[in-house]
Amino acid sequence: MNTPARRAIRPRKLLKLLPSPRSTPFTFGYALVLTVTSLLARYADPQLVSSLLRGSSTDVAHLVHSPALVLVASALWIAGGIASPYAIGFLLVLTALERRIGGLRTAGVFLLGHVVATLATEVPVGLSVLAGHLPDSSLHRLDYGISFGVAASAGALAGLLPRWAGWTALAGFGWVLVDDLIAFEDPMTNWGHLLALAIGVATWPLLRRARRSPRGPRAQAATASTTEGNAAVGSTRVSLSSAAASSAANSSRVRS
């Protein structure tokens, strides 16, 4: 029987799947930035959008001259727009991951997958151009988006879920990536997705250990508060003991 109370609980559970400024500030803030850039890409002047995307591309030419800039800028755009599968995956995966390991570690996992997979797919392109196997135009191929970071985050999240759920999610997402690779529409990017997923899986030992022994500000504050409380109790006990001893000494003097 569905009571009004139960019906009210369900929307709350569904809302926990989405980011919020208090519980998942990193994912929430990043999602706002991606929303702005997606709306810009959809409604701004096409020439302006093309120029911005070209300037944010992690192609070989940009990686050689301004690697840090384009590695950050390329992660501010969603390839395929705000309704793409990776945009939805970003919200669900990063929200769940940040709820478990915090914003700083979530950002680290995302950035690790994004940077390593990008370099691993673009460096071979540069070497192939030098060897004459690819034309010079390959040095300027358009490359941007959040998919590598999302894939790494999905791999990391699978290791923090209950065993059956984690392995099921990992197998399902892995199959989707392998199916994309078999389609052979963009093999370099598809290999990058699989590599990013593997990078996320490789973080399991670190994330599990960090989750068992949290070191966040709240945990440190709680520890400090407990220590101060114990010290205060100890100080009170010492004061009471001293007062009792003094009272006993005075009493013995009067009796004598």
Side-chain angles (χ1 to χ4, degrees), residues 118-143:
T118 296
L119 295 177
T121 53
E122 290 298 335
V123 169
V125 172
L127 295 176
S128 297
V129 171
L130 288 176
H133 299 307
L134 288 175
D136 291 347
S137 59
S138 299
L139 298 175
H140 304 278
R141 77 185 193 106
L142 196 60
D143 185 24

Side-chain angles (χ1 to χ4, degrees), residues 9 22 53 56 71 77 89 120 122 129 145 147 166 189 237 242 245 247 249:
I9 291 173
R22 292 189 63 184
L53 293 178
S56 304
L71 282 169
W77 304 90
E122 290 298 335
V129 171
S147 58
T189 300
R237 289 176 178 172
S242 300
S247 176

Side-chain angles (χ1 to χ4, degrees), residues 249-256:
N250 292 335
S251 176
S252 64
R253 289 194 189 102
V254 171
R255 286 176 183 176
S256 62

